[in-house]
Amino acid sequence: MSKSPPGNAMGLAGERDVGPGATPASAPRQPIVLDADEEEEEEKFPAHAAVKIVGLKGAVHLNGEIALVVSFLQERQRYEVALQNTGEVKSVAPANLLPLSALEEVEVWKDFLVKPEVQGDEALVALKRMRALEVTVDVLARTRVGKIVNDLAKRMASNDEVATLARQLVAKWRANFQREQALDREQKGSAGVASAEGSPRASSQASAALAEPAAAAARTAASGSEQLPASPASSDRCLARIFNEGYGGQCRAKRRHPKFLCGIHQRMLDETGKLTHGWIDETVPAAKTAEFKGEVTSSRPVVE
């Protein structure tokens, strides 16, 4: 990451324009009007996004440099970006910036968070930015960022905001990893059943599959546990469990691929680190089971 952390880089003076249409250093700064009839560029990079500088003609030494977005200057149609290596702030035209892939950007933030001099406000910027990224299981495996963020939560345990957000991120990533593993097993199981159709054992295997939910319920009852078994889930729908007047069940909304939840439940997981009623493919906790049963019992009409 940069020698100067993002928090300091944003306040550095001495930035100058780079890219097509840049004003000379000695000239007073004026808004750049390329064409009176030309539509203004819409802001496309959020604050703190990592970008790559490309295509500069006057400052070619900056091409290929990684930078963090500081702000978008609407009146000048340029981005202020802080260079990763030095923290120096430059003013760059949108056409000379490219977004990084989720893998590349996670690598940038991971390398930053391992620095011992990172402060709490700077770590918070990094965590919030990674929360906004589509961090897939592949990205987690290739960057091992989960371990870095988990270590950060321990290192900054005295900073409640940083430690809480770090733990929430790790919990979300772990849940996504478990969801993807479960879907992979489901898909492999479906493929196995399809290939076995027509074989002498097919009908007995199908009967066993149908009998398994009842067997699971019987095992739960025999063990004296008050927990309800996991419900069968549709992989095309949001995998959150809903209250449904005490009967439970799977959320009816479509999941937002590649994530496993609908928009509402994904926001809930991002903000709190958990789902109110859990995941549909996990065993219902005893306390939640009691809550469901209590609601159903209280809602039944009294028969004289």
Side-chain angles (χ1 to χ4, degrees):
M1 200 67 184
S2 62
K3 295 178 182 177
S4 300
N8 293 337
M10 292 178 189
L12 287 180
E15 77 267 16
R16 60 185 180 84
D17 291 342
V18 293
T23 56
S26 59
R29 292 189 173 184
Q30 298 293 334
I32 300 172
V33 180
L34 298 178
D35 190 322
D37 296 325
E38 186 174 339
E39 292 185 3
E40 289 187 346
E41 181 80 20
E42 292 184 2
E43 185 175 354
K44 59 183 179 180
F45 298 112
H48 313 307
V51 293
K52 181 183 290 187
I53 300 175
V54 297
L56 297 179
K57 299 295 191 294
V60 294
H61 63 286
L62 294 179
N63 288 329
E65 288 283 338
I66 303 300
L68 300 179
V69 172
V70 176
S71 64
F72 181 63
L73 306 177
Q74 184 70 41
E75 71 281 2
R76 300 175 59 216
Q77 293 295 288
R78 286 177 177 270
Y79 283 94
E80 285 189 326
V81 299
L83 299 181
Q84 176 188 4
N85 291 328
T86 64
E88 186 179 0
V89 177
K90 303 291 184 181
S91 180
V92 187
N96 296 113
L97 297 175
L98 288 179
L100 299 186
S101 67
L103 174 63
E104 293 170 322
E105 187 161 355
V106 168
E107 286 282 6
V108 169
W109 289 116
K110 183 196 76 169
D111 291 344
F112 174 66
L113 289 176
V114 297
K115 295 179 180 292
E117 66 270 20
V118 171
Q119 300 299 308
D121 57 341
E122 299 162 357
L124 204 57
V125 167
L127 294 173
K128 287 181 177 178
R129 177 55 189 161
M130 285 196 290
R131 182 176 63 182
L133 295 174
E134 294 284 353
V135 181
T136 64
V137 171
D138 179 62
V139 170
L140 291 174
R142 294 172 66 177
T143 62
R144 301 184 64 83
V145 69
K147 183 180 185 306
I148 301 300
V149 173
N150 192 49
D151 290 344
L152 178 74
K154 297 175 183 177
R155 195 167 86 233
M156 295 195 172
S158 59
N159 187 320
D160 289 341
E161 191 174 8
V162 172
T164 298
L165 181 53
R167 287 193 294 268
Q168 288 175 354
L169 262 183
V170 171
K172 184 178 87 167
W173 291 339
R174 184 183 295 116
N176 285 345
F177 176 74
Q178 292 171 345
R179 298 281 80 68
E180 188 153 320
Q181 280 191 321
L183 285 178
D184 284 344
R185 288 195 296 269
E186 178 184 325
Q187 291 170 355
K188 290 177 181 177
S190 298
V193 170
S195 63
E197 287 180 357
S199 69
R201 299 178 58 191
S203 58
S204 61
Q205 289 173 339
S207 298
L210 291 172
E212 179 55 30
R219 287 194 297 271
T220 302
S223 66
S225 171
E226 289 298 318
Q227 291 180 297
L228 294 175
S231 303
S234 168
S235 59
D236 291 329
R237 287 163 51 191
C238 170
L239 295 184
R241 181 182 289 109
I242 58 175
F243 190 66
N244 191 25
E245 298 182 352
Y247 289 93
Q250 184 175 1
C251 176
R252 298 178 182 86
K254 292 286 187 181
R255 55 178 284 214
R256 301 178 67 179
H257 291 274
K259 295 186 177 181
F260 299 92
L261 300 169
C262 64
I264 293 176
H265 283 111
Q266 187 63 56
R267 283 195 297 275
M268 180 188 297
L269 183 64
D270 290 344
E271 293 171 3
T272 67
K274 63 181 180 180
L275 297 172
T276 301
H277 303 300
W279 297 86
I280 190 62
D281 57 350
E282 290 182 350
T283 301
V284 183
K288 185 60 64 176
T289 299
E291 181 183 345
F292 285 167
K293 288 182 176 179
E295 177 66 23
V296 171
T297 302
S298 63
S299 64
R300 287 175 179 167
V302 176
V303 178
E304 298 292 344

Short mmCIF file of all heavy atoms in Angstrom, two decimals, residues 16-17 32 48 61 98 100 141 143 162 164 172 232 234 236 255 264 271 280:
data_model
loop_
_atom_site.label_atom_id
_atom_site.label_comp_id
_atom_site.label_asym_id
_atom_site.label_seq_id
_atom_site.Cartn_x
_atom_site.Cartn_y
_atom_site.Cartn_z
N ARG A 16 -1.74 18.06 -8.83
CA ARG A 16 -1.76 18.73 -10.12
C ARG A 16 -2.53 17.88 -11.10
O ARG A 16 -2.76 16.69 -10.88
CB ARG A 16 -0.34 18.97 -10.64
CG ARG A 16 0.46 17.70 -10.84
CD ARG A 16 1.89 18.03 -11.24
NE ARG A 16 2.68 16.84 -11.43
CZ ARG A 16 2.70 16.15 -12.58
NH1 ARG A 16 1.99 16.53 -13.60
NH2 ARG A 16 3.45 15.07 -12.69
N ASP A 17 -2.95 18.50 -12.19
CA ASP A 17 -3.73 17.80 -13.19
C ASP A 17 -2.85 16.89 -14.02
O ASP A 17 -1.72 17.24 -14.36
CB ASP A 17 -4.42 18.79 -14.15
CG ASP A 17 -5.52 19.56 -13.45
OD1 ASP A 17 -5.96 19.08 -12.39
OD2 ASP A 17 -5.93 20.61 -13.97
N ILE A 32 -12.60 23.10 -16.80
CA ILE A 32 -12.29 22.71 -18.17
C ILE A 32 -13.58 22.41 -18.92
O ILE A 32 -14.34 21.52 -18.52
CB ILE A 32 -11.38 21.47 -18.20
CG1 ILE A 32 -10.08 21.79 -17.46
CG2 ILE A 32 -11.09 21.01 -19.61
CD1 ILE A 32 -9.20 20.59 -17.25
N HIS A 48 -12.74 5.92 -2.27
CA HIS A 48 -11.89 4.86 -1.74
C HIS A 48 -11.76 3.65 -2.68
O HIS A 48 -11.11 2.67 -2.31
CB HIS A 48 -12.35 4.38 -0.36
CG HIS A 48 -12.64 5.50 0.60
ND1 HIS A 48 -11.72 6.48 0.87
CD2 HIS A 48 -13.74 5.79 1.34
CE1 HIS A 48 -12.24 7.33 1.75
NE2 HIS A 48 -13.46 6.95 2.04
N HIS A 61 4.93 8.32 -16.88
CA HIS A 61 5.51 7.52 -15.78
C HIS A 61 4.45 7.07 -14.78
O HIS A 61 4.69 6.15 -13.99
CB HIS A 61 6.59 8.33 -15.06
CG HIS A 61 6.08 9.57 -14.39
ND1 HIS A 61 5.71 10.70 -15.09
CD2 HIS A 61 5.85 9.86 -13.07
CE1 HIS A 61 5.28 11.62 -14.26
NE2 HIS A 61 5.35 11.14 -13.02
N LEU A 98 -9.04 3.09 -14.79
CA LEU A 98 -9.70 1.80 -14.98
C LEU A 98 -9.99 1.17 -13.61
O LEU A 98 -9.15 1.25 -12.71
CB LEU A 98 -8.82 0.84 -15.79
CG LEU A 98 -8.63 1.13 -17.28
CD1 LEU A 98 -7.71 0.07 -17.90
CD2 LEU A 98 -9.97 1.15 -18.01
N LEU A 100 -10.31 -1.78 -10.85
CA LEU A 100 -9.64 -3.05 -10.60
C LEU A 100 -10.68 -4.14 -10.41
O LEU A 100 -11.82 -3.88 -10.03
CB LEU A 100 -8.77 -2.96 -9.33
CG LEU A 100 -7.62 -1.94 -9.32
CD1 LEU A 100 -6.80 -2.12 -8.05
CD2 LEU A 100 -6.75 -2.08 -10.55
N ALA A 141 -10.16 -17.52 -1.20
CA ALA A 141 -9.15 -18.59 -1.21
C ALA A 141 -7.80 -18.08 -1.72
O ALA A 141 -6.74 -18.45 -1.19
CB ALA A 141 -9.64 -19.76 -2.05
N THR A 143 -6.63 -14.90 -1.82
CA THR A 143 -6.02 -13.79 -1.08
C THR A 143 -5.82 -14.10 0.41
O THR A 143 -5.00 -13.46 1.06
CB THR A 143 -6.87 -12.52 -1.18
OG1 THR A 143 -8.16 -12.78 -0.58
CG2 THR A 143 -7.07 -12.12 -2.63
N VAL A 162 -14.16 -0.77 14.62
CA VAL A 162 -13.30 -1.55 13.71
C VAL A 162 -13.45 -3.04 13.99
O VAL A 162 -13.65 -3.85 13.07
CB VAL A 162 -11.83 -1.12 13.84
CG1 VAL A 162 -10.93 -2.07 13.04
CG2 VAL A 162 -11.65 0.30 13.34
N THR A 164 -15.86 -4.71 15.47
CA THR A 164 -17.19 -5.22 15.14
C THR A 164 -17.34 -5.41 13.64
O THR A 164 -17.82 -6.46 13.18
CB THR A 164 -18.28 -4.26 15.66
OG1 THR A 164 -18.19 -4.19 17.08
CG2 THR A 164 -19.66 -4.76 15.27
N LYS A 172 -19.69 -12.93 7.45
CA LYS A 172 -20.36 -12.93 6.15
C LYS A 172 -19.61 -13.79 5.14
O LYS A 172 -20.21 -14.59 4.43
CB LYS A 172 -20.49 -11.50 5.62
CG LYS A 172 -21.26 -11.40 4.31
CD LYS A 172 -21.41 -9.97 3.85
CE LYS A 172 -20.24 -9.52 3.03
NZ LYS A 172 -20.50 -8.24 2.30
N PRO A 232 -35.59 -28.24 3.44
CA PRO A 232 -35.05 -28.31 2.09
C PRO A 232 -35.12 -26.93 1.45
O PRO A 232 -36.08 -26.20 1.65
CB PRO A 232 -35.99 -29.32 1.40
CG PRO A 232 -37.21 -29.37 2.25
CD PRO A 232 -36.79 -29.05 3.63
N SER A 234 -34.55 -24.21 -1.98
CA SER A 234 -34.44 -23.99 -3.41
C SER A 234 -33.22 -23.11 -3.64
O SER A 234 -33.12 -22.02 -3.08
CB SER A 234 -35.70 -23.29 -3.94
OG SER A 234 -35.48 -22.83 -5.26
N ASP A 236 -32.40 -21.39 -6.12
CA ASP A 236 -32.65 -20.19 -6.92
C ASP A 236 -33.21 -19.05 -6.08
O ASP A 236 -33.24 -17.91 -6.53
CB ASP A 236 -33.62 -20.48 -8.06
CG ASP A 236 -33.01 -21.39 -9.12
OD1 ASP A 236 -31.79 -21.32 -9.30
OD2 ASP A 236 -33.75 -22.16 -9.73
N ARG A 255 -32.60 -14.95 -5.08
CA ARG A 255 -31.26 -14.58 -4.61
C ARG A 255 -30.57 -13.75 -5.68
O ARG A 255 -30.89 -13.82 -6.86
CB ARG A 255 -30.42 -15.81 -4.29
CG ARG A 255 -30.30 -16.81 -5.40
CD ARG A 255 -29.41 -17.96 -5.03
NE ARG A 255 -28.01 -17.62 -5.04
CZ ARG A 255 -27.04 -18.46 -5.39
NH1 ARG A 255 -27.33 -19.71 -5.72
NH2 ARG A 255 -25.79 -18.09 -5.38
N ILE A 264 -32.71 -7.43 0.65
CA ILE A 264 -33.05 -7.09 2.04
C ILE A 264 -32.24 -7.91 3.03
O ILE A 264 -31.65 -7.38 3.98
CB ILE A 264 -34.56 -7.30 2.29
CG1 ILE A 264 -35.37 -6.28 1.47
CG2 ILE A 264 -34.89 -7.18 3.78
CD1 ILE A 264 -36.86 -6.46 1.56
N GLU A 271 -25.00 -5.53 7.74
CA GLU A 271 -25.06 -4.55 8.81
C GLU A 271 -24.97 -5.16 10.21
O GLU A 271 -24.47 -4.54 11.14
CB GLU A 271 -26.35 -3.73 8.69
CG GLU A 271 -26.36 -2.85 7.43
CD GLU A 271 -27.71 -2.20 7.19
OE1 GLU A 271 -28.62 -2.39 8.04
OE2 GLU A 271 -27.87 -1.52 6.16
N ILE A 280 -31.95 -21.06 5.87
CA ILE A 280 -32.96 -22.09 5.69
C ILE A 280 -32.37 -23.49 5.70
O ILE A 280 -33.04 -24.46 6.06
CB ILE A 280 -33.74 -21.86 4.37
CG1 ILE A 280 -34.96 -22.77 4.29
CG2 ILE A 280 -32.83 -22.04 3.16
CD1 ILE A 280 -35.98 -22.53 5.37
#
